[in-house]
Amino acid sequence: MEKEKVLVMGQPQGDRCGLSVSWVLRGKVDYDKLCSEWEANGLPEEHAPWEPTDTASFLSALQEFYTKDSAGRTSLYKKNILVRTMKRGRYAVVFERTVEANATSQGLGSRKVDSLKHFTIHTAYLCPTSKQPVIEFNDDNLERCPEDLHLPTHNELSRLFQKHKRILDHREFSKWISHTTTKWLQGQALLGKGGLYYIPEWRVHDWELVRDIFNKASWCDHKFRQMPAMTAEETVEWVLDQVINESITKIERIYDSLEGEDLKARGLTTKRKECEDLLERLEDYTELLDDRIDGIKEQATELKSSIALALLAQESDLD
């Protein structure tokens, strides 16, 4: 039987050793309401949701402007205009349309085919110092725009940017909830890069709080799926394999960075903190891992000692 099927099989609640969870996020989240709900439920401030980034807020502002016209109605041109990401935080607003072209030169006789034509209307970016929108129009291409296409002013984009500074896009809170699941809730990704997570029994209550808080602060329902993770032997083995493999990978990565880089005190302190977090995580899984945890804990402890010695050596060099 496949391990994935064992993980989601129904069993009495008392046999549960945690949850297997996944989610599909969409729409927007009210950041202020999310933080208010977080605080009201007494959840730790250091793990509170991340504030919307300027980059994501500005992109959302551009996308909203070209989705609606100046009167707030859905624009006829929204299917023709794309906001493309460029380098160094810039965006290009491109007008695209399909035109009929002669395909003779392509060896297709006199057959007519559709050809995609596009041109850049303007670029836009946030000024690094003032954090205000900057719009650079392409004068040659402005004449090619439809006459009734409304183009943005500085004030219009500024207003939309400030609005989206208080709104979390689903791409941003997806990163945060994955981080929170694995770091604060001590969850374990079961499919390598994510998508399905194991939440240990002792953090299920906090997970359900996070799920409910997100739904309260959202303008549409997200799909949070959760099923009991059972104590079936294959299921436990699958979870533990992921914990062990991930821990070994982290230890090897830290060793490699110590050997390949001339780390200063700040870098060594960061590596030591990573070791402490890893040991704390393994301690939480001690009840499930039993004696299989000893070897990994020993490696992590030795690594932490090596980092401490390197820090002492640096301090003595400074004396």
Side-chain angles (χ1 to χ4, degrees), residues 217-237:
S218 300
W219 291 317
C220 62
D221 289 334
H222 307 292
K223 293 182 179 179
F224 287 100
R225 302 184 179 97
Q226 60 184 54
M227 295 186 183
M230 307 307 153
T231 55
E233 184 176 347
E234 286 189 50
T235 303
V236 176
E237 287 293 334

Side-chain angles (χ1 to χ4, degrees), residues 29-32 34-35 45 47-57 161-162 164-169 172-173 176:
V29 175
D30 185 322
Y31 176 71
D32 293 324
L34 182 63
C35 290
E45 183 179 351
H47 295 293
W50 299 336
E51 191 172 358
T53 63
D54 288 341
T55 302
S57 299
F161 172 60
Q162 293 304 320
H164 284 280
K165 281 288 292 176
R166 312 315 300 166
I167 299 173
L168 270 174
D169 181 83
E172 287 202 294
F173 62 78
W176 175 84

Side-chain angles (χ1 to χ4, degrees), residues 44-307:
E45 183 179 351
E46 62 270 24
H47 295 293
W50 299 336
E51 191 172 358
T53 63
D54 288 341
T55 302
S57 299
F58 188 55
L59 175 58
S60 294
L62 278 169
Q63 289 173 332
E64 179 176 339
F65 179 85
Y66 281 106
T67 300
K68 295 179 181 292
D69 63 16
S70 57
R73 296 169 300 197
T74 300
S75 172
L76 295 176
Y77 296 107
K78 69 175 183 177
K79 293 182 180 179
N80 299 91
I81 292 181
L82 303 175
V83 180
R84 292 180 172 171
T85 303
M86 303 171 67
K87 295 180 179 179
R88 296 184 291 276
R90 287 175 172 261
Y91 297 99
V93 176
V94 178
F95 188 86
E96 258 187 10
R97 61 177 178 170
T98 302
V99 297
E100 193 176 71
N102 194 320
T104 304
S105 61
Q106 302 175 26
L108 298 177
S110 59
R111 178 183 169 192
K112 299 289 185 179
V113 297
D114 288 339
S115 176
L116 196 63
K117 299 291 184 181
H118 66 273
F119 57 86
T120 298
I121 302 172
H122 66 82
T123 58
Y125 63 94
L126 281 177
C127 175
T129 52
S130 68
K131 297 299 180 184
Q132 290 297 311
V134 178
I135 309 171
E136 296 178 346
F137 287 101
N138 187 317
D139 293 336
D140 293 335
N141 287 338
L142 285 179
E143 297 179 359
R144 303 167 62 186
C145 294
E147 292 183 3
D148 57 344
L149 176 62
H150 178 62
L151 297 174
T153 65
H154 173 272
N155 288 340
E156 286 173 320
L157 273 189
S158 293
R159 177 179 55 80
L160 288 173
F161 172 60
Q162 293 304 320
K163 168 188 171 182
H164 284 280
K165 281 288 292 176
R166 312 315 300 166
I167 299 173
L168 270 174
D169 181 83
H170 70 276
R171 290 162 291 198
E172 287 202 294
F173 62 78
S174 177
K175 294 177 184 177
W176 175 84
I177 200 168
S178 296
H179 175 86
T180 298
T181 299
T182 55
K183 301 300 181 184
W184 177 48
L185 297 177
Q186 298 294 301
Q188 177 64 49
L190 298 175
L191 298 177
K193 294 184 178 181
L196 181 66
Y197 295 84
Y198 167 74
I199 305 292
E201 176 64 25
W202 56 89
R203 302 315 300 268
V204 167
H205 174 70
D206 289 329
W207 155 258
E208 291 176 341
L209 271 179
V210 171
R211 177 202 63 195
D212 294 343
I213 285 170
F214 257 93
N215 278 329
K216 286 181 181 178
S218 300
W219 291 317
C220 62
D221 289 334
H222 307 292
K223 293 182 179 179
F224 287 100
R225 302 184 179 97
Q226 60 184 54
M227 295 186 183
M230 307 307 153
T231 55
E233 184 176 347
E234 286 189 50
T235 303
V236 176
E237 287 293 334
W238 184 26
V239 173
L240 300 189
D241 282 347
Q242 295 295 328
V243 174
I244 291 171
N245 292 337
E246 185 177 290
S247 300
I248 292 173
T249 300
K250 286 183 179 179
I251 290 172
E252 291 176 346
R253 178 173 52 78
I254 296 173
Y255 266 123
D256 290 342
S257 66
L258 292 178
E259 294 175 358
E261 303 176 27
D262 183 18
L263 294 176
K264 303 301 181 185
R266 184 174 180 180
L268 289 169
T269 301
T270 300
K271 300 301 179 185
R272 182 172 63 181
K273 179 64 167 60
E274 289 182 22
C275 286
E276 291 171 351
D277 291 344
L278 176 57
L279 284 167
E280 182 181 344
R281 179 180 178 81
L282 291 172
E283 197 64 40
D284 286 336
Y285 279 89
T286 298
E287 185 178 345
L288 286 177
L289 285 166
D290 299 324
D291 57 348
R292 285 168 287 185
I293 198 174
D294 294 339
I296 304 173
K297 288 178 69 175
E298 184 177 343
Q299 292 181 56
T301 303
E302 288 178 359
L303 177 56
K304 183 182 173 183
S305 299
S306 299
I307 295 172

